[in-house]
Amino acid sequence: MSKNVVYAIVKAGGRQEKVSVGSVVVVDKMEGQAGDTVELEPIMLVDGDKVTTAADGISAKVTAEVVRDDKGPKISIIKYKNKTGYRKRQGHRQKLTRLKVTGIK
């Protein structure tokens, strides 16, 4: 008695994410405004007991809706060299996109 669990491993923003319908995932910045639909590249699809990989040839499509653009946490970069008076402070916030998966077909 197995539950019919459907999820996919997709490639998004240089990383792989496990997604299912209705899940919200944060990836590196993608083109598109809030409300736009984007398609993610599936690497593996699990449908109950059946597992399909990209090597087997996945015919499934994973669609997601852009929820909003986000920024990651602030990262402080400090460089210092002893006895020379050299100090450098820099900050960085990664630009991110929040996606909501709408369908795996």
Side-chain angles (χ1 to χ4, degrees):
M1 204 162 140
S2 67
K3 295 179 182 178
N4 193 14
V5 178
V6 179
Y7 68 88
I9 307 293
V10 296
K11 190 173 185 179
R15 291 189 303 271
Q16 295 177 4
E17 302 279 347
K18 178 183 173 183
V19 298
S20 58
V21 176
S23 66
V24 176
V25 63
V26 179
V27 297
D28 285 344
K29 179 99 170 100
M30 295 180 77
E31 294 297 320
Q33 302 294 324
D36 289 354
T37 301
V38 294
E39 195 169 304
L40 302 173
E41 179 186 339
I43 295 173
M44 187 172 83
L45 178 69
V46 176
D47 187 2
D49 293 333
K50 184 180 170 192
V51 177
T52 311
T53 62
D56 300 334
I58 296 178
S59 61
K61 292 183 180 178
V62 178
T63 56
E65 178 185 342
V66 177
V67 177
R68 67 173 185 259
D69 289 333
D70 278 342
K71 279 185 163 182
K74 177 109 179 191
I75 297 171
S76 296
I77 302 150
I78 300 171
K79 295 181 181 180
Y80 172 79
K81 289 190 178 176
N82 196 14
K83 299 177 185 172
T84 61
Y86 175 78
R87 291 187 183 104
K88 183 177 179 182
R89 259 183 79 195
Q90 187 177 354
H92 177 76
R93 288 188 76 181
Q94 186 69 30
K95 292 183 175 156
L96 306 170
T97 300
R98 189 174 297 265
L99 302 174
K100 182 173 183 178
V101 179
T102 56
I104 298 174
K105 296 176 183 166

